[in-house]
Amino acid sequence: MPSLDPFFTEWARRRPGRARSLERAAALARALGLDADRAPVLGVVGSKGKGTTATTAAAALASAGLRTVLVTGPSFRSYRERVRVDGMSVTDAELDALGARIDAARRGLPPVEESGGYLAPSGLFLVAGLLHARDVEADVCVLEAGMGGHRDELRLVGPEVVALGSVFAEHVGVLGDTVEEIAREKARVAGERTRALVRLPQTAGVAAEVDAALAEATGGRVRAEVVDPGRPGVEPPPALRPPGLSAASGVLGTAAAARMLDHLGRPPMDRERLHAVLGTLRLPGRLSHHAVPTEDASGGGGDGGATEDASGGGDGGATGDAGDESTGAVPDAEVLVDSAIDRAGVSAALAHARGLWGRVDHVLLCLPDHKDVSGAVEALGDLPVTAVRLPEAHLRFEHALPDHWDRMDADGLSPAALRALGTRVLALGTVYFTGRVLEAVDAPTDRLFG
């Protein structure tokens, strides 16, 4: 298990009211030589679907023969999953070495008290990804933002290409008070180095704010390019898109990768090779399908990787891929895992489960109060449901729930607990929770494609 202290020390020691410091993060990047020496970056922002977009973009770039470093978050089972090369997680030893270099540079900075803020874990994993890209001589990096915006470390990196997914009322009161304000903030990761922003269709108000923010950030030289998943002939074909609501994220990731190839002066993607690589795409926790082992999983990928600082962001949507069958399992009990956090996501996951199985025996739902709990309750109707509480201190679980629902703590998740609920179980909720379910069924999460 890698040491995580270099990534979490300053966050863990932060004082009340103290925020992340981009100035301190910029100083760290300079100390590591990343301000001038880094691979080209494709940055991914949005309210949901970021992980799917980033992973699809990385797979598409890898299909074009580029060595690609991917940074996403939160992780599923292990923090080494935060940094990948051509879809494969770094090793514990590699993450340890990256952390040690970051920590040595951090110790050379002025004290936190003088900088006015701390180094955020999500930003430090971006730094680790850029360092590793330099080590392995990567051709390109795909970096998923946390919340995104001008206060996100991705803005310091200055992505050459930005992929902007769907924007909705997530982080209201943090990034903005309206969806339009949130969209404007997320688009502000663009900067002097940015040469393209590719986005999904948005409402007129959101599109206008994105255009205004992009013009301001780039001096008017970059205009948003829209990719419409509903247009005939758009890559990838429907059969190779992730299922459910994340199909659009797969289209966005592919389009952003194509734009990056254009920026780099590379030939367009070969469709046959692209389709071959996308056919291997695996997105755990996003409509992924797993057999439940007969005994507690002991494969041991986990180091608590699904937990993360509250500012770290994450996919947060009903995005994903129908996946794998975990080893050592008997196929009479199955779980479908999805990181749905609102009414639309829960409804889509429920429809997918019924299409797969014909029925759902039980639903495990884990939604903190700041998610769309009421919408999820309505979407689930009269189904048997167990509400799951997580132990993370920054998450609250006080929303009123139907009296007939069962309750449990996340620490009680195990193959036996899943099997006791029935043979067709749907597990839905925040990524913190879905990571625990993947750990319980010993789902393989180190390789996402290839």
Side-chain angles (χ1 to χ4, degrees):
M1 182 184 299
S3 171
L4 300 175
D5 288 346
F7 300 97
F8 287 90
T9 293
E10 292 194 3
W11 174 77
R13 296 175 181 174
R14 73 197 186 285
R15 295 179 180 175
R18 179 163 285 166
R20 67 203 299 159
S21 170
L22 291 195
E23 292 76 15
R24 189 168 178 80
L28 178 70
R30 288 193 297 271
L32 292 166
L34 293 174
D35 55 329
D37 182 15
R38 66 155 179 79
V41 169
L42 190 165
V44 180
V45 296
S47 295
K48 65 179 181 179
K50 296 193 300 293
T52 302
T53 300
T55 303
T56 306
L61 289 166
S63 78
L66 275 66
R67 176 164 251 193
T68 304
V69 166
L70 169 67
V71 179
T72 56
S75 44
F76 306 112
R77 299 182 59 191
S78 169
Y79 280 101
R80 67 174 176 268
E81 300 165 4
R82 298 293 298 265
V83 180
R84 301 174 186 266
V85 179
D86 293 337
M88 186 67 183
S89 300
V90 297
T91 65
D92 286 350
E94 287 171 330
L95 188 60
D96 266 336
L98 292 168
R101 290 160 64 188
I102 289 171
D103 198 48
R106 181 187 67 83
R107 292 176 186 276
L109 301 180
V112 171
E113 292 72 18
E114 294 181 16
S115 66
Y118 61 86
L119 292 169
S122 56
L124 291 176
F125 281 109
L126 288 187
V127 170
L130 291 171
L131 276 177
H132 196 59
R134 191 167 65 191
D135 292 345
V136 301
E137 299 182 344
D139 298 301
V140 66
C141 288
V142 179
L143 306 181
E144 177 189 348
M147 291 186 188
H150 83 283
R151 290 170 287 183
D152 193 282
E153 288 80 3
L154 182 59
R155 180 182 67 83
L156 296 179
V157 172
E160 280 81 1
V161 175
V162 176
L164 174 64
S166 299
V167 180
F168 69 108
E170 182 83 339
H171 306 308
V172 170
V174 179
L175 295 183
D177 295 328
T178 66
V179 174
E180 290 76 16
E181 290 179 2
I182 292 169
R184 181 181 181 88
E185 176 68 12
K186 288 182 180 291
R188 292 176 68 190
V189 297
E192 293 181 1
R193 288 180 168 179
T194 303
R195 295 295 177 266
L197 184 147
V198 184
R199 66 168 177 84
L200 290 174
Q202 311 282 349
T203 65
V206 166
E209 290 299 326
V210 169
D211 289 344
L214 184 60
E216 179 182 331
T218 66
R221 56 185 173 72
V222 178
R223 296 178 62 87
E225 305 165 22
V226 182
V227 56
D228 184 356
R231 196 180 71 211
V234 171
E235 290 287 347
L240 289 175
R241 298 176 189 178
L245 297 182
S246 68
S249 297
V251 171
L252 176 62
T254 304
R259 192 63 179 83
M260 175 59 87
L261 289 174
D262 181 63
H263 166 69
L264 296 176
R266 299 274 187 149
M269 285 179 284
D270 177 83
R271 292 179 72 250
E272 183 175 348
R273 178 62 182 157
L274 171 67
H275 294 176
V277 174
L278 291 184
T280 70
L281 196 65
R282 176 176 298 170
L283 299 169
R286 295 165 178 91
L287 289 177
S288 60
H289 177 217
H290 310 272
V292 180
T294 55
E295 298 179 357
D296 285 2
S298 58
D303 56 21
T307 56
E308 164 86 71
D309 67 298
S311 64
D315 201 321
T319 57
D321 170 48
D324 58 275
E325 289 75 35
S326 303
T327 58
V330 176
D332 63 343
E334 300 173 352
V335 60
L336 185 69
V337 188
D338 191 64
S339 302
I341 59 166
D342 59 14
R343 181 198 310 264
V346 171
S347 298
L350 190 57
H352 187 84
R354 285 171 170 157
L356 178 68
W357 293 325
R359 73 177 198 275
V360 174
D361 294 333
H362 204 97
V363 178
L364 283 173
L365 181 73
C366 181
L367 290 184
D369 291 348
H370 66 284
K371 304 298 184 183
D372 183 19
V373 181
S374 297
V377 170
E378 184 172 337
L380 291 172
D382 296 329
L383 282 169
V385 179
T386 295
V388 184
R389 294 174 57 96
L390 289 164
E392 280 72 26
H394 67 278
L395 300 177
R396 301 180 68 85
F397 294 87
E398 298 176 0
H399 196 287
L401 299 174
D403 292 337
H404 67 276
W405 283 18
D406 292 329
R407 275 70 164 173
M408 72 176 291
D409 290 330
D411 291 342
L413 285 171
S414 67
L418 290 170
R419 296 176 72 87
L421 299 175
T423 59
R424 302 292 182 266
V425 176
L426 179 60
L428 305 173
T430 178
V431 178
Y432 302 106
F433 163 68
T434 55
R436 286 174 175 257
V437 178
L438 295 171
E439 179 74 14
V441 300
D442 196 22
T445 56
D446 276 327
R447 181 173 292 282
L448 298 183
F449 59 83

